[in-house]
Amino acid sequence: MKQSKFIDLVLSCLTGTASDEERRMLDKLIAEDFSKKMLFEDLRANWINEEQDTPAALAAWKKMEPSLAPVPGAESGKRIWLHTGNWYATAAAVLFCLGCWWIFSKKPQPARHAQKITQIAAEQTVKDSIWLPDGSLVRLNKGSSIHYQGALNGKTREVNLKGEGFFQVAKNAGKPFIIHAGKGQIKVLGTAFNVKENDKDTTLTVAVLEGLVSLSSKGRSKSTLLKAGSVGVLSSGLVLVTHTKTANYLSWYNNRLIFDNLSLQEVSKQLEHLYGVNIIIKTKELNSLALTANINHGAITDVISKITYSLDVHYRVRDKGVIELYR
């Protein structure tokens, strides 16, 4: 995709005018092309900078315009510019100006006396991706939902989650991002993490892929900090923290389970969190067995069957979601 088309696509997503297909296309592009990801991050950071106003944006554009050169063969009446030096820096600057102009000329301003509550739900059979007004990206698992008030432009950015979602939060140190889910809340400034609320046992699981978040029980001031590579489980007001490879906590979205020389004991812990089952290793020497595998994220019995086959281990399924491993 040409850079100009990519910029148009980013603008559409940031302003909320993109279709579902266009949002999925942007996700794919920034996942496959590191340069596009870096450009997108810069553009998104400029989009959420609310300190800019229209006169400043126009002044920045006028200051930059003399250093730009028109593209030969451009359509009559249509301005397209390329920088005579570093195109990447220019692209970021161009979209910065466009973003500032769009914010104040196109973006609807919320009413001061009443803020609209927005609720978004994924269907029972379909996962969904949503761009929030602050530039954050949320991926909802099937049957999950979020709702928030206004345009997330207050002193804090607060959303409510029901079910499971993966969050890539736009950085804004002055406006913490707070997620209310189940009996807990998660506070972040800018990071990537997965949140899963379990209705059956009222636990809340947070797996941090990037950055730093705090997890606390609702109504309590004490919180627990979770770094990248940490998983926090809130249960009965207490937070239990483990350190592990957290990529598999997003397996519901990318449909892959990846284990890289991981002990069977650690593999079992991850599967317990992912599927809500209880795995008992009956033969102690099996704990130290190491698994390296790339498995499709399917039904728990299919996953267990493939794992036990590769490790020459047997399994049986008991009542109430209990799986036993033995030799």
Side-chain angles (χ1 to χ4, degrees), residues 3 19 53 122 127 135 238:
Q3 295 288 9
S19 64
D53 54 24
K127 304 163 189 174
L238 300 176

PDB file of all heavy atoms in Angstrom, residues 3 19 53 122 127 135 238:
ATOM      1  N   GLN A   3       2.151   5.040   0.719  1.00  0.00           N
ATOM      2  CA  GLN A   3       2.148   5.753   1.984  1.00  0.00           C
ATOM      3  C   GLN A   3       0.971   6.712   2.111  1.00  0.00           C
ATOM      4  O   GLN A   3       0.393   6.862   3.183  1.00  0.00           O
ATOM      5  CB  GLN A   3       3.475   6.526   2.147  1.00  0.00           C
ATOM      6  CG  GLN A   3       4.704   5.645   2.255  1.00  0.00           C
ATOM      7  CD  GLN A   3       4.785   4.929   3.595  1.00  0.00           C
ATOM      8  OE1 GLN A   3       3.850   4.954   4.371  1.00  0.00           O
ATOM      9  NE2 GLN A   3       5.896   4.269   3.849  1.00  0.00           N
ATOM     10  N   SER A  19     -14.439   1.519   8.130  1.00  0.00           N
ATOM     11  CA  SER A  19     -15.290   0.333   8.190  1.00  0.00           C
ATOM     12  C   SER A  19     -14.567  -0.778   8.949  1.00  0.00           C
ATOM     13  O   SER A  19     -13.370  -0.679   9.230  1.00  0.00           O
ATOM     14  CB  SER A  19     -15.616  -0.149   6.770  1.00  0.00           C
ATOM     15  OG  SER A  19     -14.427  -0.574   6.110  1.00  0.00           O
ATOM     16  N   ASP A  53      -4.273  23.648  19.073  1.00  0.00           N
ATOM     17  CA  ASP A  53      -5.505  24.252  18.599  1.00  0.00           C
ATOM     18  C   ASP A  53      -5.382  24.548  17.125  1.00  0.00           C
ATOM     19  O   ASP A  53      -4.336  24.388  16.517  1.00  0.00           O
ATOM     20  CB  ASP A  53      -5.851  25.515  19.397  1.00  0.00           C
ATOM     21  CG  ASP A  53      -4.697  26.506  19.417  1.00  0.00           C
ATOM     22  OD1 ASP A  53      -3.866  26.455  18.491  1.00  0.00           O
ATOM     23  OD2 ASP A  53      -4.640  27.321  20.359  1.00  0.00           O
ATOM     24  N   ALA A 122     -19.391  -7.581  21.274  1.00  0.00           N
ATOM     25  CA  ALA A 122     -19.051  -8.548  20.229  1.00  0.00           C
ATOM     26  C   ALA A 122     -20.101  -9.655  20.238  1.00  0.00           C
ATOM     27  O   ALA A 122     -20.582 -10.063  21.299  1.00  0.00           O
ATOM     28  CB  ALA A 122     -17.668  -9.134  20.470  1.00  0.00           C
ATOM     29  N   LYS A 127     -15.362 -12.230  17.021  1.00  0.00           N
ATOM     30  CA  LYS A 127     -14.482 -11.343  17.767  1.00  0.00           C
ATOM     31  C   LYS A 127     -14.521  -9.968  17.096  1.00  0.00           C
ATOM     32  O   LYS A 127     -14.828  -9.863  15.923  1.00  0.00           O
ATOM     33  CB  LYS A 127     -13.052 -11.880  17.774  1.00  0.00           C
ATOM     34  CG  LYS A 127     -12.949 -13.302  18.315  1.00  0.00           C
ATOM     35  CD  LYS A 127     -11.638 -13.932  17.931  1.00  0.00           C
ATOM     36  CE  LYS A 127     -11.619 -15.412  18.265  1.00  0.00           C
ATOM     37  NZ  LYS A 127     -10.406 -16.089  17.765  1.00  0.00           N
ATOM     38  N   GLY A 135      -7.729   6.967  20.892  1.00  0.00           N
ATOM     39  CA  GLY A 135      -6.714   6.317  20.067  1.00  0.00           C
ATOM     40  C   GLY A 135      -6.310   4.939  20.548  1.00  0.00           C
ATOM     41  O   GLY A 135      -5.470   4.289  19.932  1.00  0.00           O
ATOM     42  N   LEU A 238      -7.640 -10.588  46.955  1.00  0.00           N
ATOM     43  CA  LEU A 238      -6.186 -10.749  46.950  1.00  0.00           C
ATOM     44  C   LEU A 238      -5.677 -10.963  45.531  1.00  0.00           C
ATOM     45  O   LEU A 238      -6.365 -11.556  44.692  1.00  0.00           O
ATOM     46  CB  LEU A 238      -5.780 -11.932  47.827  1.00  0.00           C
ATOM     47  CG  LEU A 238      -6.168 -11.850  49.306  1.00  0.00           C
ATOM     48  CD1 LEU A 238      -5.799 -13.136  50.033  1.00  0.00           C
ATOM     49  CD2 LEU A 238      -5.504 -10.649  49.978  1.00  0.00           C
TER      50      LEU A 238
END
